[in-house]
Amino acid sequence: MMQAVGSGVPIWQGGLWFDAGDMRVTPAEFVDCAMANPANAALVARLPALGLNQCHLVAGCLFQAVWNRASGHAPGWGIKDYDIFYFDDGDLSWDAEDGVIRAVDALTADLGVTVEVRNQARVHLWYAERFGTGYPQLRSARDGIDRYLIACTCVGIEVATGEFYAPDGLDDLARGVLRMNPRNPRPALFREKAESYRSRWPWLTVVEPE
């Protein structure tokens, strides 16, 4: 169970009020919390069968389960989609990525959730056209995880090994503290994303970029 000490914003967890300002969660607790969402558990169990290189379940579908537990919601509450990253720099064509997307769709069609799949080796090829700004050529799936706008949301689970990845640790995530990711500093987009999270979890705290 996530532990809390000290003082902060009061939140509801497990039938008791706790102080959000000093919440703590270990990597093992984080994974257990994320896997309490049946969709996450199914994805981690099924995706290794596809043999995708560096395949990770990432970001919102994982960390939002922690915020949901702290808020007294079901693990899957408020989750809009389930993001999957993999890395294949041997074939950067859209046809190859589209084939993977179709395979994942077939594998997960019965789950009733939206699954988004992206080959992180080719994001730089289309990002500028879609979003109007450049994007570096990545060297691994974890490079993609490292670029989420909010630091504490840079998390992933490698499906083949179960290894948990969180370059910024878990303290801010457990406390609901949203800071701009220094590896991808985009203040306007950071604020927009942070407020979208606060609309669902109002107890979150946004740290204004300097």
Side-chain angles (χ1 to χ4, degrees):
M1 176 182 176
M2 293 182 292
Q3 297 180 355
V5 294
S7 61
V9 178
I11 60 173
W12 183 256
Q13 177 187 300
L16 297 171
W17 287 102
F18 287 109
D19 291 331
D22 289 297
M23 294 294 293
R24 298 288 185 268
V25 59
T26 68
E29 289 168 341
F30 178 97
V31 172
D32 286 347
C33 188
M35 292 304 105
N37 180 345
N40 284 336
L43 288 167
V44 168
R46 297 180 189 186
L47 287 169
L50 297 179
L52 300 174
N53 186 48
Q54 299 179 29
C55 184
H56 288 68
L57 187 63
V58 304
C61 64
L62 302 177
F63 69 77
Q64 290 171 20
V66 175
W67 294 346
N68 281 337
R69 177 176 290 183
S71 303
H73 297 309
W77 181 90
I79 295 176
K80 297 179 178 179
D81 52 37
Y82 292 71
D83 290 321
I84 297 166
F85 285 1
Y86 71 102
F87 192 84
D88 179 10
D89 58 357
D91 188 342
L92 299 181
S93 68
W94 162 246
D95 286 344
E97 185 172 12
D98 187 52
V100 171
I101 292 170
R102 292 175 184 272
V104 172
D105 284 348
L107 189 69
T108 62
D110 63 307
L111 297 181
V113 298
T114 299
V115 179
E116 299 283 348
V117 185
R118 290 292 179 266
N119 179 8
Q120 296 302 294
R122 66 181 305 273
V123 175
H124 66 285
L125 299 177
W126 53 261
Y127 191 93
E129 181 178 353
R130 184 173 301 181
F131 295 107
T133 186
Y135 198 89
Q137 184 172 356
L138 305 181
R139 302 299 178 188
S140 71
R142 291 185 176 184
D143 279 355
I145 296 172
D146 289 347
R147 292 189 61 81
Y148 277 106
L149 294 165
I150 297 173
C152 70
T153 69
C154 298
V155 295
I157 296 174
E158 188 166 10
V159 301
T161 64
E163 184 177 353
F164 175 60
Y165 179 67
D168 298 289
L170 293 172
D171 286 352
D172 275 359
L173 179 65
R175 294 195 302 264
V177 177
L178 309 183
R179 304 179 197 272
M180 187 171 67
N181 182 357
R183 297 178 296 270
N184 188 17
R186 305 189 184 198
L189 293 177
F190 161 77
R191 294 184 185 98
E192 180 181 349
K193 177 61 71 173
E195 288 308 315
S196 76
Y197 289 148
R198 277 180 45 82
S199 71
R200 283 172 279 171
W201 297 277
W203 55 272
L204 298 176
T205 300
V206 178
V207 177
E208 183 65 18
E210 297 181 358

